[in-house]
Amino acid sequence: MTNAMTLDALPDPVVRVDGDRRIVEANEAALRLAGRPSDGVVGQLLSDVFAPRGRDGTPLLVDAWHASSRLRSVTGIPEHEVTISSAGGDIKVRVTGRYERNGDGSVRGAVLSLRPPRRSANDEPTGSEVVSTVSHELRSPLTSVKGYTSLLLNRWERLKDEQKRMMLEQIHHDADRVTRLITELLDISRLETGRLVLRRQMTNVPELAGQVVEKLTMTYADLECEVFFPDDFPQVYADPDKLEQVLTNLVENAAKYASPTGMKIVGQFDSDAVVVAVTDTGEGIPAEDVPKVFKKFFRRDMGKPTGTGLGLWISRGLVEAHGGRLAATSEIGEGSVFRFTLPLVDLDELFAESN
């Protein structure tokens, strides 16, 4: 009774499901959304009551949980948009929640919150606005590639070897930038629908951090970023490409909005997780903006406000997909710290569970 009363006090529809994805509890808001009485919801399959579907129309949570649930370190369910059946017809909602696990780590159920789409002045951009934003960001590297390739084709014999090398390095760098932008667009859809696939392997984070700093010196010639990791820093079971994307976004964000000098990447660890912090020496982020920096398309009106405004939102989603957390702290006049955690996984235990 107490749990039901607590759920009923929540304004958003909330349901709790068991390991077979049958609804065991639903608050008043969820019953109104379904248009059914309690006995027409409790005991029913979530898929029968709400018929959740992804953006491509694929049914969700019918035969199994999302693949990420097999990792016991994953407890949170990142917010993503789905279409459900309701008393008023098909509607879009934002689903988030947490897995409930047994002592052995197996999923015994989940608590899901069905939040309505945002309908305020701060709504996310429309499709045409997204295309416009990303097109603007693509234009610069593609213009550079076009210009340098034209020079190489038309003046090859007259250019010195060092000039050719410089142009080819810039073309290579700009091609990487275009690839990153396209990856960001794809990751938006995958994160929102819970369909992100991680290609995990044992990953050397200190080495990855050093490579990120080296690559970004192509864009920020005055970049000064020291990398500090203990000699016995453990490898993590993660997708190295996604971790590189996270580190690149954090360092590049600090270089654009804070200062490219005086930066540090510092790693620590304990028995359960590793912690990686990117620290800058900029002016800091106003307290009212700190919660906003991870919102999609948010860009502060300071520094060099370029980019899509997707980097930090995607970075948080990628870290959470690994079972970790990404957060920011800042003091005006003292700079900011973006810190993420990644769980340490016992591979023998993981493979034993999968078999």
Side-chain angles (χ1 to χ4, degrees), residues 64-75 99 101 104-107 197-198 200 345 349-355:
W65 297 104
H66 185 266
S68 64
S69 67
R70 291 198 294 267
L71 287 175
R72 65 173 59 188
S73 58
V74 176
T75 56
Y99 292 116
R101 294 184 179 274
D104 61 0
S106 60
V107 176
V197 176
L198 297 178
R200 296 177 185 255
V345 177
E349 182 180 282
L350 177 65
F351 292 145
E353 287 181 2
S354 64
N355 293 327

Side-chain angles (χ1 to χ4, degrees), residues 175-195:
D176 281 345
R177 174 61 181 159
V178 171
T179 300
R180 279 182 55 204
L181 285 166
I182 294 172
T183 300
E184 285 184 345
L185 284 177
L186 293 173
D187 282 344
I188 291 174
S189 174
R190 291 164 180 163
L191 287 169
E192 288 182 332
T193 59
R195 297 182 180 278

Side-chain angles (χ1 to χ4, degrees), residues 8 15 20 42 73 85 96 115 149 159 161 166 174 180 235 268 270 307 330 346:
D8 285 342
V15 297
D20 295 322
V42 175
S73 58
S85 296
T96 186
R115 299 171 178 171
T149 52
L159 293 171
D161 287 345
M166 180 277 293
D174 289 331
R180 279 182 55 204
Q235 292 191 331
Q268 298 175 311
D270 57 26
S330 187
D346 186 324

Side-chain angles (χ1 to χ4, degrees), residues 6 50-51 85 112 117 124 134 141 158 181 210 224 237 249 259 269 274 288 339 346 353:
T6 301
F50 291 109
S85 296
L112 304 173
E124 293 171 0
V134 176
R158 287 178 284 175
L181 285 166
E224 294 176 6
Y237 187 53
N249 283 336
S259 170
F269 69 96
V274 302
E288 63 272 17
R339 181 180 289 105
D346 186 324
E353 287 181 2

